[in-house]
Amino acid sequence: MGHQIHKRLPLEFVVDVLRAFCEKEVGVNKACQLLGISKVQLYRLRKRYLTCKKEGKEFKLYKSGNKTTRSFPKEVQDFLHKELDYISFCAKKFNRKFNFSFLAERAEKKFNRSFHRNSIRRFALRHGYYHATSFEKKKVYSRFETSGPGFLFHHDTSHHIWLPKTGIFSDLILTEDDFSRKIVGRKLVEKETSFAHLQTVRDTVSVYGLPLSYYVDEHSIFRFVEHRGVHVTYNLGKDEGKVQFKRALEQLNIGIIYAKSPEAKGKIEKRFDYFQRRLPFLCEKYNVVKISEAEKILDELIFFYNEKHVHEETGETPNERWKRGIKQGKSRLRALPEEVDLDYIFSLHYERKVKKDGTISFMGRRWKIGKFPGRIVTVCLIPDKKIMIFKDDQKLWEYHL
């Protein structure tokens, strides 16, 4: 990209390109090529250009005057020294692995003011904690945009060492609204199961309502296939597949869309990357070894992400974009019908044939039905809680475990 844009190009040229881009005379790739900037920089520049035009202000390529001081207040400097010192000399798994975006978020929480990652990066450079490298991983942005909140929910799992002190892999299940990037569902578990996914969906629809569709990969929990995913190799049986997750969504009239490749799950993969750079670090720092304790930290991170994290592509926080979409009538969420039996839908369903003595076998035990000998019934299991036995839509028995 070379030098800063105001040192490379005349203001009039930049304004003409921005005007043509806003009026769709040139596409995004052409505009980036003409200005020698990335797509993220282009959208930031366009936002400033449109704001100045709307407010009748002069558009400039760089901000002059009212520059903030380069030095932080003493209490901020003390905080940064403490955090950077920990990363440099005390952290084990994350030794000298600097995440300046995360440090900026932690500073914002503590001092109730915003910090830019580059300001903290420069602080670390000046004080010898960090030494800049020429390599920087480029981010990939998906360009497809859905029409409003609830049009499409991304849903996936990340198999990762979320609690570094244990040295054991565990699974984080996330659900993200495509339009707003808002995290609407989460569950951290020792090992993902069909029931863990069903619980996550139940929690999500109970709070937000029914989306039009879920976007998932070809994990055998979602569809009966076997494959190697981005995070883990899956190899589950049929009862852990199509019969459960897909069945539950279909009963609620929620569509299910399958990603054709790991690359097609870019948005949710970026979100996992966001939390992989934060949750394990905090779990190690505070000696967290229990999933229940890690979930408390995760909830704080999700709250900050939804409420404070400005998305580089949308220029809004997830909650701002979510609320604006609803206010503008773009929401595709539907109310959860009151008559829906959530225990029935979000339990694990298994078919059993009634024996001549009116019983069925399940979980190594005999269960009394009392009728329908030779007929097929459905056993609905909520693990560690209860089983329900149905014939079509009629509940025959309910046993508490």
Side-chain angles (χ1 to χ4, degrees):
M1 296 299 176
H3 297 294
Q4 294 174 323
I5 190 170
H6 71 275
K7 296 180 179 180
R8 294 187 288 105
L9 299 171
L11 175 63
E12 294 78 8
F13 177 87
V14 177
V15 170
D16 279 347
V17 173
L18 290 174
R19 177 196 56 76
F21 177 58
C22 292
E23 296 177 2
K24 299 184 179 180
E25 295 176 5
V26 297
V28 59
N29 292 330
K30 186 65 174 178
C32 289
Q33 180 184 0
L34 291 170
L35 297 178
I37 57 178
S38 67
K39 292 179 182 179
V40 172
Q41 291 172 311
L42 174 64
Y43 282 105
R44 286 177 178 168
L45 204 59
R46 182 185 69 169
K47 183 177 180 180
R48 282 179 46 209
Y49 168 74
L50 293 175
T51 300
C52 290
K53 187 175 180 181
K54 181 179 179 181
E55 296 176 357
K57 297 180 179 179
E58 180 185 1
F59 173 73
K60 296 181 179 180
L61 292 177
Y62 60 95
K63 297 178 181 179
S64 59
N66 299 321
K67 292 184 178 179
T68 57
T69 177
R70 292 188 176 184
S71 61
F72 293 117
K74 184 179 184 305
E75 62 271 19
V76 176
Q77 292 190 41
D78 291 344
F79 169 79
L80 292 178
H81 279 302
K82 183 178 179 180
E83 293 294 314
L84 292 167
D85 187 76
Y86 171 80
I87 297 171
S88 299
F89 306 109
C90 301
K92 300 292 190 295
K93 182 178 177 61
F94 298 91
N95 183 259
R96 304 199 66 79
K97 294 182 180 179
F98 296 93
N99 185 344
F100 297 113
S101 294
F102 184 37
L103 279 175
E105 292 172 7
R106 287 174 57 75
E108 179 176 345
K109 285 182 182 179
K110 185 172 181 64
F111 299 104
N112 197 29
R113 52 158 286 194
S114 62
F115 294 83
H116 197 283
R117 65 175 301 279
N118 286 338
S119 298
I120 295 179
R121 177 178 176 273
R122 287 193 292 268
F123 180 90
L125 281 167
R126 286 199 302 270
H127 292 277
Y129 294 105
Y130 172 70
H131 302 283
T133 61
S134 59
F135 174 79
E136 183 178 354
K137 182 180 179 181
K138 294 185 177 180
K139 297 181 179 179
V140 179
Y141 293 95
S142 302
R143 305 308 310 165
F144 174 72
E145 292 293 337
T146 50
S147 57
F151 183 91
L152 181 72
F153 280 178
H154 294 265
H155 184 88
D156 202 1
T157 308
S158 175
H159 189 63
H160 189 70
I161 301 180
W162 294 101
L163 287 72
K165 289 288 184 178
T166 68
I168 299 173
F169 282 85
S170 50
D171 295 318
L172 174 61
I173 301 172
L174 284 183
T175 307
E176 178 188 64
D177 175 59
D178 182 89
F179 174 79
S180 63
R181 280 70 166 181
K182 178 183 176 76
I183 302 297
V184 294
R186 68 93 183 135
K187 185 168 288 294
L188 184 61
V189 293
E190 291 181 2
K191 181 176 177 59
E192 68 169 332
T193 62
S194 286
F195 187 66
H197 284 277
L198 291 174
Q199 284 182 302
T200 308
V201 176
R202 178 174 183 166
D203 292 343
T204 300
V205 301
S206 296
V207 173
Y208 298 104
L210 305 176
L212 294 183
S213 56
Y214 265 70
Y215 190 61
V216 300
D217 63 15
E218 299 254 346
H219 189 316
S220 55
I221 279 179
F222 309 127
R223 166 187 271 179
F224 181 49
V225 293
E226 296 177 0
H227 77 118
R228 182 175 297 275
V230 173
H231 297 291
V232 61
T233 300
Y234 305 113
N235 185 20
L236 303 177
K238 183 177 179 180
D239 277 348
E240 290 289 286
K242 180 179 178 182
V243 185
Q244 308 300 343
F245 191 86
K246 186 172 186 291
R247 181 265 313 157
L249 293 188
E250 288 176 344
Q251 288 181 322
L252 292 172
N253 195 28
I254 298 174
I256 185 165
I257 302 170
Y258 297 102
K260 300 302 181 183
S261 68
E263 291 75 17
K265 295 285 294 176
K267 287 185 178 179
I268 194 74
E269 295 299 335
K270 286 186 288 184
R271 214 59 60 232
F272 282 128
D273 180 70
Y274 176 92
F275 289 108
Q276 285 171 2
R277 294 170 180 268
R278 290 159 173 79
L279 181 58
F281 173 84
L282 292 176
C283 287
E284 180 187 68
K285 182 175 182 180
Y286 298 119
N287 298 310
V288 173
V289 294
K290 295 182 179 179
I291 283 182
S292 59
E293 297 173 350
E295 283 191 308
K296 295 177 183 178
I297 298 175
L298 175 62
D299 285 339
E300 292 181 1
L301 291 173
I302 290 176
F303 176 82
F304 183 91
Y305 168 81
N306 283 338
E307 194 68 34
K308 299 289 187 179
H309 180 76
V310 178
H311 195 278
E312 289 185 319
E313 195 169 354
T314 67
E316 299 174 284
T317 68
N319 274 346
E320 287 174 345
R321 189 168 173 84
W322 173 277
K323 292 175 183 177
R324 181 173 63 80
I326 293 176
K327 186 176 181 180
Q328 293 176 348
K330 295 180 178 180
S331 175
R332 299 297 182 266
L333 294 163
R334 298 160 292 158
L336 186 65
E338 293 182 2
E339 66 275 10
V340 169
D341 185 345
L342 295 180
D343 280 352
Y344 171 73
I345 290 177
F346 292 109
S347 56
L348 299 171
H349 290 202
Y350 302 92
E351 291 185 347
R352 289 294 183 271
K353 187 175 182 178
V354 182
K355 301 179 185 297
K356 292 181 180 181
D357 62 358
T359 64
I360 61 169
S361 296
F362 184 71
M363 296 173 58
R365 290 178 54 185
R366 288 285 187 95
W367 304 86
K368 180 182 177 181
I369 303 298
K371 50 185 173 180
F372 302 118
R375 306 284 293 276
I376 299 297
V377 295
T378 301
V379 180
C380 303
L381 169 67
I382 298 181
D384 302 319
K385 184 176 180 182
K386 65 180 179 180
I387 67 169
M388 301 166 289
I389 303 172
F390 283 79
K391 181 68 176 82
D392 300 324
D393 294 330
Q394 178 187 359
K395 183 189 286 188
L396 304 178
W397 291 94
E398 179 173 316
Y399 296 96
H400 290 266
L401 303 176

